[in-house]
Amino acid sequence: MIVKNFFGTTAKGEAVDIYTLRNSSETAVDILTYGATVNSIYVADKNGNFADVLSGFDTLEGHEKFSDYQGMTVGRYANRIAGGKFSIDGVEYNVEKNEKGITCLHGGAELSTAVWKAFIVDDNSIEMNYTSPDGAMGFPGKVDFKVTFTLHEDNALKIEYSAVSDKKTVINMTNHAYFNLAGKGDILAHELMINADAYTPIDENSIPTGEIRSVEGTPFDFRTAKPIGRDIDADDDQLAIGKGYDHNFCLNDSDGPIATAYEPESGRFLEVFTDLCGVQLYTGNFLDGTKIGKNGDPLIRNAGFCLETQFYPNTPNMPEFPQCTVDAGEKFTSCTVFRFSVK
Ligand code: BGC
């Protein structure tokens, strides 16, 4: 069942709607037209008690004032582009350097702050559309973006992305949900598994150095589930740069989940599936309690963790990484599934 309501008005005066997708077990997902944002996911714990497992905001004002992309659709290029520039066929493009004036982070936030057009597809799906003009944030091509959200009966939220540009360009889309399966506190006790033998170490600007480093014997080894907090404060150069985990993992080929998370007290279990080659694990390290989130509670350090499925960061400048360039008229597609259950 899908219900549409008015959510609020942006500072610019645009009306924003909230769509609630609900299945027969009362699992519910709230999606905003602002940023095509997954605002809340209500799932039962092992005793049948429901909680919202996304850290974020309950007002539009919160999103506009405090957002670190909580729940948002991110693009055109999720994650970072070094120096805010790259070339395609010998033409250099300078894109928004919205991170400390040095890097382009999350495509300059255009998609995340746009108000998308929404359509109800059927009883469990909605589609959101946004057209980004040629040159937006410095990126080439007018691009038609589409994101479809489907809530299945097995409590899987499927997010399908597509984009078609009228010029050769780069596309890397993700969702930036901050999960907290307890619905409160921090996420350090969540037991996380990531099916990755390697990750991409970063420099001081959080740009991959180009090395594909084995996780073996490092705090980045999540191949067997372990509490996020176990090694997060280990003496490690990479953790020091990110103030915790803020790194891309190179996913192993598999039909199974690329990541799982289990919260022992509630018994809630999350499985993540994707057709993409990377995932950014970000453990909310830069949250410091000064921003106010849902229910007026401060967003504390490690309030949520993100599993941002993606192409590796800075791909347009790293020819050795899998590429995300699309030709004019070529359709970019990707799909990520977040499935909830209890154990
Ligand atoms: C980045 C973090 C950043 C966060 C919020 C993540 O994808 O890797 O460094 O703080 O997004 O912008």
Side-chain angles (χ1 to χ4, degrees), residues 128-155:
M128 295 218 176
N129 295 298
Y130 173 70
T131 298
S132 172
D134 185 16
M137 304 281 153
F139 288 89
K142 167 176 168 273
V143 185
D144 293 322
F145 290 97
K146 179 163 100 175
V147 185
T148 306
F149 301 91
T150 306
L151 177 62
H152 290 277
E153 280 299 307
D154 65 352
N155 295 340

Side-chain angles (χ1 to χ4, degrees), residues 8-22:
T9 305
T10 64
K12 282 194 257 167
E14 304 145 299
V16 172
D17 293 324
I18 180 167
Y19 287 78
T20 302
L21 283 55
R22 192 182 303 276

